[in-house]
Amino acid sequence: MAIKGHKRESGATRKGAPERPRSRRRAVARYARVSRDAMRGKTTAMRKLINMQEHICSWENLLGAYRDAARNKRYRPDVLSFTQDLEKNLQDIKDDLEARTYTVGPYREFYVSYPKRRLVMALGFRDRVVQWAIYRQINPFIDRRYITHSYGCREGKGTLAAAQQLHRWIKAVSRKPDAKEWVILKCDVSKYFYRVDHEIALDIYRQYIDDDWLMWLMTEIINNPSTPFGLPEGVSISECPPDQRLYDVGMPIGNLTSQETANIYLNEVDQYAKHELRIRHYIRYMDDTILIIKGRKAAEETRAQLERFMRNQLKLAMNKKTVILPISHGCEFVGYRVTEHGLRLRKKTIQHIKRSLLRMERRYARGEIDQDDALATINSYMGMCVNINGYSMRTWIANNIVLRKEESQTND
């Protein structure tokens, strides 16, 4: 990965000492100083990615992208077909990318109903390899620009880490003498993935990328001329027939590049909240954001400022789920109920877990899954309850889930 403006020369640490390579830690620290200066309006320019074609199209990167895309999916028909002639398929991808003849393949559409009804659009395996090849090269650079408390689709983060951090903040604030004055501002973006503006997203990418070839590739993926992803404002996916979807907004849920774009898009809001509004307790997981603020009036002003910024700069709107709550009330966040006393599962999550386990129990009884798969499902839910106040959920699993074959299966 090449970074514009990054000096590769060695430097001496003291007068008369022999030159030695600059350590990675010092290089990252210098990068951080450049970024902070740029955000404060100083003349120092932010570093950008350059010469990315040779890195993305290298054999090592394409082979690594294939392995990442195939992880836990090696026996699916499309993966097996690609693997049968792996060298030729990777060479075809390399040739198409270098010649700028690559086009995104067709999407397979399906719906998921939990936690709410969403349209998921899945690409073929060849296109997933391409997206992994891009992600492996640009994500380490872009990830450094995010704030610490952005937890969506980042290594070492995730939903549990986000909920635990919010719990620590609520617990600390609740112990203050003026705790009754503090409130939680819970923000949620309306139809976020379906309303991301393509031109704004590409302009944001240009803040990180100074490479015509890579910008061509990102434009090809985001501005897909054959498949519309967007919805008109205020319209749900169930209310919008396919022929009324929009081409200039929206990202397909399920794409790896969509996750990166979703984070980089709302990172603009993160930077505004932290550096302009000076919000100390600010945490975000994708489009779900929580702020802890002293005073309801201050929270209302902050909400108005964030709504104005999102509308003017990103063409987004908050939905009716955006609310202001007393700190003592706690809030729901990333599937958990978070209060000063700890984390609990939401009622909807508990119901979903119980239905899933009962369904798994029936499938095991009919012989549709083996014992290893059934135990893996049970253990995953038991492990989920270890880090939260989940004693009652673990007790329910122990008392109600029994792995027992039907008589017909036993006789066979």
Side-chain angles (χ1 to χ4, degrees):
M1 174 173 59
I3 302 176
K4 185 177 182 180
H6 179 71
K7 292 184 178 180
R8 297 187 180 273
E9 299 86 359
S10 301
T13 57
R14 63 182 184 275
K15 187 175 181 180
E19 291 188 346
R20 65 182 182 184
R22 188 183 296 272
S23 70
R24 185 178 185 275
R25 182 174 180 181
R26 292 176 63 199
V28 171
R30 182 170 179 237
Y31 158 79
R33 288 198 298 273
V34 172
S35 297
R36 286 196 296 268
D37 288 345
M39 285 188 291
R40 290 169 183 165
K42 297 185 179 180
T43 56
T44 306
M46 278 189 175
R47 294 176 186 170
K48 297 185 179 182
L49 294 169
I50 59 173
N51 302 327
M52 294 303 297
Q53 179 175 330
E54 60 181 289
H55 299 281
I56 291 175
C57 297
S58 69
W59 268 102
E60 294 81 3
N61 187 57
L62 289 175
L63 186 59
Y66 156 76
R67 289 169 178 162
D68 287 333
R71 188 181 296 120
N72 300 325
K73 305 180 182 71
R74 292 186 181 277
Y75 299 106
R76 292 185 180 182
D78 56 342
V79 181
L80 289 172
S81 176
F82 190 94
T83 306
Q84 272 187 331
D85 204 351
L86 178 61
E87 185 175 348
K88 180 181 181 301
N89 288 325
L90 292 181
Q91 185 63 50
D92 289 344
I93 290 175
K94 180 179 172 67
D95 293 342
D96 285 347
L97 291 176
E98 290 179 340
R100 300 197 185 192
T101 56
Y102 169 76
T103 56
V104 180
Y107 284 86
R108 177 174 63 89
E109 298 184 9
F110 60 94
Y111 289 89
V112 295
S113 56
Y114 182 82
K116 60 184 178 182
R117 184 173 172 81
R118 287 192 178 100
L119 171 65
V120 178
M121 309 183 79
L123 281 171
F125 185 72
R126 182 178 190 269
D127 295 292
R128 296 204 299 273
V129 172
V130 172
Q131 297 208 0
W132 266 107
I134 299 169
Y135 181 83
R136 285 163 54 89
Q137 293 299 319
I138 70 172
N139 182 67
F141 176 78
I142 293 177
D143 189 78
R144 299 176 191 169
R145 305 283 185 94
Y146 297 149
I147 64 171
T148 301
H149 297 301
S150 172
Y151 286 84
C153 302
R154 298 180 65 193
E155 187 175 353
K157 304 288 186 176
T159 55
L160 179 61
Q164 288 175 333
Q165 180 59 56
L166 179 60
H167 164 61
R168 285 192 287 269
W169 282 346
I170 292 177
K171 187 176 180 180
V173 170
S174 298
R175 293 178 176 181
K176 292 177 178 287
D178 56 353
K180 292 183 179 180
E181 299 179 28
W182 290 76
V183 296
I184 297 171
L185 172 57
K186 181 181 178 183
C187 304
D188 194 7
V189 181
S190 176
K191 303 290 184 294
Y192 176 51
F193 272 84
Y194 304 113
R195 293 296 304 165
V196 169
D197 186 275
H198 293 180
E199 286 306 313
I200 295 176
L202 291 171
D203 285 342
I204 294 173
Y205 270 114
R206 291 185 185 98
Q207 298 175 20
Y208 302 83
I209 299 169
D210 189 11
D211 184 299
D212 290 340
W213 177 85
L214 182 52
M215 285 308 305
W216 157 78
L217 183 55
M218 296 306 299
T219 303
E220 185 70 26
I221 293 172
I222 293 174
N223 284 337
N224 191 321
S226 60
T227 308
F229 309 125
L231 297 177
E233 187 171 354
V235 178
S236 67
I237 187 65
S238 58
E239 298 170 345
C240 184
D243 59 344
Q244 293 183 16
R245 296 178 195 161
L246 306 178
Y247 285 90
D248 57 342
V249 297
M251 300 180 296
I253 297 176
N255 270 13
L256 189 61
T257 51
S258 294
Q259 296 176 11
E260 190 75 78
T261 304
N263 261 340
I264 206 173
Y265 203 82
L266 283 185
N267 182 56
E268 300 294 300
V269 182
D270 299 344
Q271 302 298 336
Y272 174 72
K274 297 296 289 186
H275 298 288
E276 297 294 331
L277 303 183
R278 301 289 182 179
I279 305 298
R280 180 180 180 184
H281 300 108
Y282 176 98
I283 189 169
R284 179 175 66 83
Y285 185 93
M286 298 309 284
D287 61 326
D288 292 329
T289 308
I290 300 289
L291 299 80
I292 302 177
I293 301 171
K294 184 178 179 180
R296 179 172 287 272
K297 184 176 180 181
E300 291 173 349
E301 291 175 355
T302 300
R303 172 179 176 173
Q305 290 172 313
L306 289 174
E307 284 184 316
R308 188 160 50 248
F309 178 87
M310 292 171 64
R311 172 68 69 180
N312 295 339
Q313 302 298 322
L314 303 177
K315 296 184 180 179
L316 295 174
M318 293 185 186
N319 61 24
K320 296 178 181 179
K321 296 179 185 177
T322 300
V323 293
I324 299 175
L325 303 167
I327 193 74
S328 59
H329 186 271
C331 65
E332 292 186 353
F333 184 53
V334 294
Y336 298 96
R337 176 77 186 166
V338 186
T339 67
E340 62 178 301
H341 305 294
L343 307 181
R344 290 181 296 155
L345 294 173
R346 298 186 307 167
K347 290 183 179 180
K348 184 183 290 187
T349 305
I350 293 173
Q351 293 170 358
H352 172 73
I353 292 174
K354 290 181 178 180
R355 284 196 299 266
S356 297
L357 288 171
L358 291 171
R359 190 183 310 117
M360 178 275 300
E361 185 182 47
R362 292 193 295 271
R363 292 185 65 198
Y364 176 80
R366 294 193 296 265
E368 296 176 7
I369 59 174
D370 59 24
Q371 189 179 60
D372 288 341
D373 291 337
L375 289 176
T377 301
I378 294 172
N379 290 335
S380 67
Y381 285 125
M382 293 290 276
M384 179 182 180
C385 297
V386 168
N387 297 296
I388 62 174
N389 299 338
Y391 174 78
S392 59
M393 185 75 251
R394 296 199 304 273
T395 302
W396 184 91
I397 295 173
N399 292 337
N400 292 275
I401 301 302
V402 179
L403 297 181
R404 183 169 45 219
K405 294 283 189 180
E406 293 179 352
E407 290 186 9
S408 58
Q409 296 294 327
T410 305
N411 294 333
D412 292 341

